[in-house]
Amino acid sequence: MIALGVLAVALVAAAGIGILVRRNEGRVREIAPAPKSARAELLTAAGVLDGRPTVLHFSADWCGPCAAVRRVVASVVAELADTPAPPVDLELDIDANPDLARELNVLSLPTTFILDATGQEKFRIAGVPRSADLRSSLGSLSVSGTSE
């Protein structure tokens, strides 16, 4: 009987943790600006252009959800192509860029970053982003070309 009670508590705890993790997946979170460091050099070497907002997403060949991120990001970037400062879509393989992934604290795949025109991290998305959230996050950066 005690074993059933322990099992029930474990199942409830696991379900609660699963709900919390699922609730945060795919959400856009605003990030405070980080101090300049080796990060700027790594971003420039990876292809981040100064003067344009960038959607930087890490992926891998073995990552299934990364294909969905690729489609969502490409769609939103294409929609914003006619804005004054259109965003750049930059996909990096985590296995080929471990230093940048470590510097940006990438803990899981897929992970997407929205960088402003100066290369500062504005938003971070774990999981597959929602098109509407990505569009609204990029909207003000693409119109003004700078962070506000």
Side-chain angles (χ1 to χ4, degrees), residues 2 14 34 37 50 53 56 60 63 65 70 73 80 83-84 89 91 99 111 118 128 131 134 146:
I2 293 175
S37 64
D50 201 27
L56 171 67
C63 173
R70 194 174 300 122
V73 171
L80 297 172
T83 58
D89 177 7
E91 180 178 3
D99 294 335
T111 298
T118 63
V128 180
S131 292
L134 189 59
T146 60

Side-chain angles (χ1 to χ4, degrees), residues 122-140:
K122 297 306 265 180
F123 302 98
R124 172 185 296 243
I125 307 160
V128 180
R130 295 172 187 91
S131 292
D133 291 342
L134 189 59
R135 194 175 306 107
S136 66
S137 300
L138 278 170
S140 63

Side-chain angles (χ1 to χ4, degrees), residues 36-52:
K36 291 276 187 183
S37 64
R39 177 179 293 196
E41 293 174 18
L42 290 169
L43 287 170
T44 302
V48 173
L49 301 174
D50 201 27
R52 290 183 56 192

